[in-house]
Amino acid sequence: VITIQTREELLRLRQEWPRPVGFVPTMGYLHEGHLVLMRRARQESGTAVASIFVNPTQFGPNEDYFTYPRDLERDAWLAESAGIDVLFIPPVDDVYPVGYATRVEVDGPALPWEGERRPGHFRGVATIVLKLFNMVQPDAAYFGEKDYQQLQVIRQMVEDLNVPVHVVGCPTVREADGLAMSSRNSYLTPKERHQAPAIHRALEKAQEMVNDGIVDTWSISRVMYEVLAQAKDMRVDYLTIVDARTLEEMDLVDREARILAAVHLGRTRLIDNFTLLPPQQRS
Ligand code: AMP
């Protein structure tokens, strides 16, 4: 793997990359969820590029920017083993030099849920993703469904701003007990880690209920809350069944829906989501 830090170097080298260029933006501390995106980019591209950048502007003032886990040496090794050709690791002042003044603001899918709880978060995400796209100039970019709302926000931005990048969404990778992989799982104490799979159990329970013909989202949510209550240290931030595209709340699962969940487990905030298809659409 070639590691690039400066924009000048990127500019010089990217002319020579075999196309198509597949790009995986990350904040590092890589796990199997990231590596699946990287292997997919490797398979579908002439050049597979990944970035590692803990983007300060998408963290709120009381969030974990300074404590976010980092291990560049291990990340470089893992990215290489996943077939990444180029690793772009820009310094913060290179991305946001003194005098930086522009932000990308998405409405629509960026407004509810995470958008309400984390003001400015998606502005930070949309801005850094557009900047990275402009720097790397990929043909395709790979994102995880783990951050489902983020994926919808990026799709919206790419469509609205005519960004010439093909956005590819990839399924969530989970631990054996169902917990969605996340760099933030490293914050969990052993006791919390033991309780965390309740999130996935609740999401699965919803799918079972729909399969049994229960499609009113109020009844489904009530049962999901009961499952989550089994995890004593868990506090639900939001739990909602929404239209898979617009992210607007639904009363009945009469079309493709998505369950979005955010919980606090001790000092850690975890998010997860699950697709929910109405009974007749299920194969
Ligand atoms: P992050 O480093 O958390 O910003 O994530 C970088 C990319 O990896 C984003 O597109 C995430 O959605 C994706 N990702 C993170 N965790 C997972 C997972 N468990 N499964 C699939 N994709 C993931």
Side-chain angles (χ1 to χ4, degrees), residues 148-186:
Y148 187 79
Q149 190 174 3
Q150 168 175 284
L151 176 61
Q152 294 310 110
V153 168
I154 291 164
R155 287 190 195 284
Q156 181 81 48
M157 174 190 73
V158 161
E159 186 170 322
D160 289 351
L161 298 181
N162 313 96
V163 180
V165 175
H166 178 58
V167 174
V168 183
C170 305
T172 302
V173 180
R174 299 178 179 281
E175 303 284 358
D177 60 10
L179 176 64
M181 290 195 183
S182 165
S183 307
R184 289 190 170 102
N185 291 349
S186 64

Side-chain angles (χ1 to χ4, degrees), residues 24-37 51 53 58 68 142-148 150-151 154 168 170-175 179-185:
V24 182
T26 82
M27 298 205 299
Y29 212 67
L30 303 179
H31 51 66
E32 188 58 27
H34 299 113
L35 299 182
V36 164
L37 304 184
S51 64
F53 183 65
Q58 72 188 67
Y68 196 84
Y142 298 80
F143 293 89
E145 287 185 357
K146 161 70 172 43
D147 303 281
Y148 187 79
Q150 168 175 284
L151 176 61
I154 291 164
V168 183
C170 305
T172 302
V173 180
R174 299 178 179 281
E175 303 284 358
L179 176 64
M181 290 195 183
S182 165
S183 307
R184 289 190 170 102
N185 291 349

